[in-house]
Amino acid sequence: MAKQKYVFGELEQAIMDIVWKHREVTVRDVLEHLRQRGTAYTTAMTVMNRLVAQRVLVRQQAGVGAFTYRARISFEQFSAEASRSAVDDLVRRYGAVAMAQFIDCLDRVPSEKVEELRRKLHREKQ
């Protein structure tokens, strides 16, 4: 099975944001939201079909020649998996230096989230 894609190009990201917001869309729906970009129908369709091939979107027949598209996983699941993958990669490559950078960033994390992380760390130690 192909590895999940976690980084999108600009148009891919715009399309995924639309799909996540509306749950199920057609190419025409996406074009309506991308109107200001001037994206061609064939371009949007090609990108969406590539996202199907990359197992990011699911395509379903909706009528003669028409398809609907939906995300394989929710934005929340995607965000969790993408950030976990990125963190794992950073720690694998840079070890303690990466961990030190994460700690330096804690002052930008809301206090309730820091407390949740502390509880999780405490449970892991036990």
Side-chain angles (χ1 to χ4, degrees):
M1 179 187 299
K3 186 177 177 186
Q4 175 69 47
K5 182 174 187 161
Y6 292 118
V7 179
F8 296 118
E10 186 180 333
L11 182 56
E12 288 174 324
Q13 186 64 61
I15 289 170
M16 289 307 301
D17 290 343
I18 293 164
V19 173
W20 278 317
K21 181 178 180 181
H22 298 282
R23 303 210 191 280
E24 188 171 273
V25 297
T26 64
V27 175
R28 292 239 180 261
D29 295 333
V30 168
L31 282 177
E32 180 64 29
H33 294 282
L34 294 177
R35 183 181 31 219
Q36 72 279 3
R37 291 177 66 123
T39 304
Y41 182 93
T42 54
T43 301
M45 183 176 63
T46 298
V47 170
M48 292 170 76
N49 286 328
R50 286 183 181 157
L51 290 168
V52 169
Q54 294 166 350
R55 303 182 53 76
V56 176
L57 291 179
V58 175
R59 180 178 62 197
Q60 187 172 1
Q61 187 86 39
V64 178
F67 293 94
T68 58
Y69 297 80
R70 63 179 172 75
R72 186 169 293 281
I73 60 176
S74 71
F75 174 74
E76 291 75 17
Q77 290 171 304
F78 178 85
S79 297
E81 290 180 19
S83 59
R84 186 177 314 108
S85 177
V87 168
D88 286 348
D89 186 49
L90 288 170
V91 171
R92 185 173 42 259
R93 288 180 182 204
Y94 305 110
V97 173
M99 295 305 297
Q101 293 301 316
F102 292 130
I103 291 168
D104 286 347
C105 293
L106 284 178
D107 62 339
R108 295 187 298 248
V109 176
S111 59
E112 61 274 1
K113 191 65 172 175
V114 171
E115 187 55 38
E116 181 184 324
L117 292 168
R118 281 193 180 114
R119 286 191 302 271
K120 183 175 183 176
L121 182 60
H122 181 71
R123 284 191 307 268
E124 295 288 328
K125 284 183 175 182
Q126 292 180 353

